Amino acid sequence: MQRPPRGAWSGFDQMKPASEYDIRYGNHLVKSTSSQWPSYVAISSPTAFRMTEPHLTLPPDTVGYPEMMDFDYLKQFTQGLPEDIDLIVGIGGGLVLDASKYVALSKQLPIVLIPTIVSTGAIIHSVFAEWEGRNLGDTKNWPWIDPEYILVDYDIVLSAPDHLNIAGVGDVLCGYSTICEWKHRESRGIGEPYDESVVADMSALHLRIVESFPRTLSSEGTLTPASVKLIMNAIKDRDSNSVTHPDAPAGDHSFIVAAELANDRSWVHGELAALGTVIIAWHTEQSPETIIGRLEMCGVRWRPSDMDMSKDELAKALAACPGYMGDASRGRDLPSVLRLEPVVGERFERLWEFLANDE
C-alpha cells in the first residue's frame, strides 16, 4: 500500500477521476481481503459495522463512529483515535465514507472503502466537502484523498434494505433537473439556447439505466449482484457524462442541503435528490411525468410520504432554497429556478397538491 497517500487539503482537481478507481466486486470479498491488512482503524456507523463485522477476518484495533461531518467535530474525533496504526478502513454510507477520508488525510494513512450501500458518489469521489454543522463551507478548497481501492462485497451490500441501494439510481437520474433548468431559462430568454448535443451523453446514460436496471432484478423483484454492479457503474459513469453548462444548474443537489439545513435532519441522499428533480421538472413545466416514470421504473422512492417528510418540512426546505443558493458569504450564486422563482405560498400549495395527487 502507498504511504503517505495521494491527497491534500485543497486542489481537488488533482484527484483520481472516478473512471480510474480500483473497484473490486465479488462475494466474500471482505473476508479474503481483510486477512492481508496491517493494523487498522475502522470508521463506521453502528449499523454498518454490525453488517460487516462477521466478514472481517482480522478485527480492527478500534472502531470509530462519527456522528457528523462538521470539521471542528472531526478534528476532535480524529485526535481520539489511536496513533499506532497503518490503515484506515471506511465502512458504511456517504457520511461515514467521507469522515473516514478526513481521518485518513489527517493521519496521512492509506484508506480502503467498503460501502455497505451503493447510494452516493462518496464511494467513487476522492473529494469530500468541508462542513460547518449542516452548512457547506467554501467549495473552492475542499480536501481530497485517493483510496487504495474499494471493496463492493455483494454479501454485505445486498443485506441492506433494497431501497437504500436503489437510491443510488436516483442520485444519477436526478441529472434530469439540469435539462429542465436550461430549457426553462431559454423560455425566459436567459442565457444560451438549449443545446441537445451538450446533454446527449447524460440522456443516453439515463435511458440505458432505465432500460437495463429492471432486467437485473430477481424473479421476486429484489436486487441481485448484477443490480449492485449496475448501480455502481452508473454512479461512476455519471461523472464523465454529467452536464456542467452554466445555464444548467444542478438545483436538485443544493435542494438537498437546503432541506436538511432548514429542518436539522437528514434523508436518504438519492431519494431527496429524486424529489428535488421532480419538483424542478414540475416547476419548469418540463415533463415531470418523464422523470417520475423513470424513477418508478427503477423503484426509486421520491415521494415525501415515502421518505417520512411532512408538508411543513418540505415547505421549509423550499423556502430555504433562495437564501442557501444565493449565499454570497459562502461563494454561492446558483441560478436555479428554486432560487429565482421560489416555491412558496400559493405556488407551494399547488406543488403539494400535485405531489399528493400522484400518490
Side-chain angles (χ1 to χ4, degrees), residues 109-180:
L109 291 172
I111 179 172
V112 170
L113 301 181
I114 303 175
T116 53
I117 52 174
V118 289
S119 62
T120 74
I123 305 168
I124 48 86
H125 288 152
S126 301
V127 68
F128 55 102
E130 179 180 357
W131 291 87
E132 300 169 13
R134 289 191 180 275
N135 215 331
L136 279 173
D138 188 349
T139 60
K140 297 178 182 178
N141 295 306
W142 284 358
W144 61 281
I145 182 170
D146 287 340
E148 302 298 309
Y149 52 83
I150 300 165
L151 299 179
V152 182
D153 191 316
Y154 297 135
D155 302 293
I156 295 172
V157 173
L158 288 172
S159 66
D162 276 4
H163 77 91
L164 295 180
N165 286 310
I166 294 173
V169 176
D171 197 29
V172 178
L173 296 182
C174 67
Y176 183 78
S177 72
T178 61
I179 295 175
C180 299

Side-chain angles (χ1 to χ4, degrees), residues 169-181 206 250-253 255-256 269-292 294-295 302 318 337-338 351 354-355:
V169 176
D171 197 29
V172 178
L173 296 182
C174 67
Y176 183 78
S177 72
T178 61
I179 295 175
C180 299
E181 296 263 23
H206 290 184
D252 56 286
H253 268 61
F255 165 76
I256 293 173
H269 180 88
E271 295 178 353
L272 198 53
L275 171 60
T277 302
V278 169
I279 292 172
I280 290 170
W282 171 85
H283 190 8
T284 58
E285 299 182 326
Q286 295 298 328
S287 186
E289 62 273 11
T290 296
I291 184 60
I292 290 173
R294 292 174 180 178
L295 295 170
W302 62 271
L318 291 164
V337 66
L338 298 183
L351 168 66
F354 167 80
L355 296 174

Side-chain angles (χ1 to χ4, degrees), residues 26-48:
N27 294 99
H28 316 303
L29 201 54
V30 169
K31 187 176 292 292
S32 60
T33 308
S34 62
S35 64
Q36 307 164 26
W37 290 342
S39 59
Y40 71 98
V41 162
I43 306 300
S44 191
S45 69
T47 300

Side-chain angles (χ1 to χ4, degrees), residues 136-354:
L136 279 173
D138 188 349
T139 60
K140 297 178 182 178
N141 295 306
W142 284 358
W144 61 281
I145 182 170
D146 287 340
E148 302 298 309
Y149 52 83
I150 300 165
L151 299 179
V152 182
D153 191 316
Y154 297 135
D155 302 293
I156 295 172
V157 173
L158 288 172
S159 66
D162 276 4
H163 77 91
L164 295 180
N165 286 310
I166 294 173
V169 176
D171 197 29
V172 178
L173 296 182
C174 67
Y176 183 78
S177 72
T178 61
I179 295 175
C180 299
E181 296 263 23
W182 194 353
K183 287 183 175 181
H184 183 67
R185 286 173 66 82
E186 179 186 50
S187 73
R188 295 293 195 268
I190 303 171
E192 297 181 13
Y194 175 74
D195 187 343
E196 187 71 41
S197 67
V198 175
V199 306
D201 289 344
M202 182 187 71
S203 296
L205 173 63
H206 290 184
L207 291 176
R208 288 197 301 272
I209 292 169
V210 173
E211 179 180 325
S212 302
F213 181 71
R215 298 177 184 172
T216 69
L217 302 177
S218 72
S219 57
E220 291 78 30
T222 58
L223 296 181
T224 66
S227 309
V228 172
K229 193 164 188 178
L230 187 148
I231 295 170
M232 277 294 299
N233 283 331
I235 293 172
K236 185 177 71 170
D237 292 344
R238 172 184 58 181
D239 279 17
S240 56
N241 292 280
S242 61
V243 176
T244 56
H245 194 278
D247 287 311
D252 56 286
H253 268 61
S254 289
F255 165 76
I256 293 173
V257 184
E260 296 185 340
L261 187 63
N263 289 286
D264 193 27
R265 63 166 292 192
S266 298
W267 286 273
V268 177
H269 180 88
E271 295 178 353
L272 198 53
L275 171 60
T277 302
V278 169
I279 292 172
I280 290 170
W282 171 85
H283 190 8
T284 58
E285 299 182 326
Q286 295 298 328
S287 186
E289 62 273 11
T290 296
I291 184 60
I292 290 173
R294 292 174 180 178
L295 295 170
E296 296 288 335
M297 182 71 71
C298 296
V300 178
R301 303 197 321 179
W302 62 271
R303 296 176 177 82
S305 58
D306 290 337
M307 60 185 79
D308 188 32
M309 173 182 272
S310 69
K311 179 180 180 180
D312 182 61
E313 287 172 326
L314 181 57
K316 286 182 180 178
L318 291 164
C321 283
Y324 176 79
M325 295 177 180
D327 188 350
S329 68
R330 296 181 183 273
R332 299 192 195 109
D333 185 21
L334 189 75
S336 170
V337 66
L338 298 183
R339 171 191 171 191
L340 302 179
E341 302 173 38
V343 184
V344 295
E346 189 272 335
R347 179 177 284 153
F348 173 78
E349 294 298 329
R350 286 192 287 111
L351 168 66
W352 188 257
E353 182 179 1
F354 167 80

